[in-house]
Amino acid sequence: MADETNGRPLPATGWAVLGLLSFGEELSGYDLKKWSDRSLGFFYWSPSFSQIYSELKRLEKAGYASSRTVTPESGARDKRVYRITGEGMAAVREWAREAPVDPLVLKHGPMLRLWLGHLLEPGQMRELLLQQQEFAETMRLRAIADEADGAGGAGGAGGAGDAGAAYPALTLKWAERYYASERDLAAAALADIDALAAGRGERP
């Protein structure tokens, strides 16, 4: 599989950046960061600026991406923009089709605290779960807003057309449903805590 650059495997961050470029947009590092925050950040992770620029250099060296310097008409300073190459498109297509999918690893801070609930002060677990509810609802609303803005694909600019934007839009819909589930699970855990406290004759 074409997953190596100079004899070393391309890291997941590299495939993510190349995947962003696969929608056909010519994007700057800033554009890639903004778009990853509104897409990858909902279900995987959003690379930092330093990670993005590091991977762009790696992709260029591998021949998977090319770049050029452009001068904005507004008179702002020059910027470098990147585009996927034919070799890069072939590599990311092969990776998406054939690379093993990593199993889901759940690292859930609120659940870990719930497991250690016997060590917390009264009411502290409730506060943590209420914060989780609020966080999940905020993320759910963000996913809805970004889906409405078309931020899931083609950097929100629609450059990949309807076919290219359809699957990223479905990913945002999944994120909306996922965070709704997280919100509801936190509410259910709060009810469980209240029932546990009532059974012990304690105040919730």
Side-chain angles (χ1 to χ4, degrees):
M1 181 183 300
D3 66 347
E4 295 191 354
T5 56
N6 299 320
R8 292 180 297 175
L10 194 66
T13 307
W15 290 118
V17 173
L18 193 60
L20 291 170
L21 292 173
S22 74
F23 288 89
E25 290 288 298
E26 192 173 44
L27 301 168
S28 67
Y30 174 81
D31 295 328
L32 288 163
K33 173 58 177 169
K34 183 172 65 173
W35 183 18
S36 69
D37 287 345
R38 302 183 68 187
S39 55
L40 297 175
F42 282 106
F43 59 88
Y44 206 66
W45 89 108
S46 184
S48 66
F49 277 110
S50 62
Q51 288 176 310
I52 287 174
Y53 284 112
S54 176
E55 292 308 323
L56 286 170
K57 290 180 181 178
R58 189 198 307 268
L59 294 172
E60 269 202 288
K61 189 174 182 179
Y64 290 171
S66 61
S67 68
R68 66 187 182 95
T69 301
V70 298
T71 302
E73 294 181 0
S74 62
R77 67 178 184 177
D78 294 351
K79 66 177 181 178
R80 183 165 292 277
V81 293
Y82 298 81
R83 183 181 291 278
I84 195 169
T85 63
E87 185 179 355
M89 183 65 79
V92 73
R93 180 180 285 114
E94 184 178 1
W95 179 83
R97 291 177 177 179
E98 300 184 17
V101 178
D102 295 333
L104 177 65
V105 177
L106 185 61
K107 295 182 179 180
H108 200 296
M111 286 181 69
L112 180 60
R113 292 300 180 87
L114 181 62
W115 183 61
L116 296 172
H118 64 289
L119 303 177
L120 303 183
E121 295 294 331
Q124 192 175 10
M125 192 66 243
R126 285 186 57 85
E127 181 61 29
L128 286 170
L129 289 171
L130 287 170
Q131 291 175 6
Q132 173 66 5
Q133 272 189 297
E134 183 178 354
F135 165 76
E137 179 63 5
T138 298
M139 293 294 288
R140 186 186 74 86
L141 294 175
R142 275 187 53 198
I144 293 173
D146 286 353
E147 183 183 355
D149 290 343
D162 292 341
Y167 289 101
L170 291 179
T171 305
L172 287 176
K173 192 179 293 292
W174 185 331
E176 174 195 342
R177 293 166 177 160
Y178 169 78
Y179 287 109
S181 175
E182 277 291 322
R183 177 201 60 197
D184 296 344
L185 286 169
L190 282 166
D192 291 341
I193 288 175
D194 289 347
L196 181 64
R200 292 175 174 174
E202 303 171 352
R203 293 181 60 187

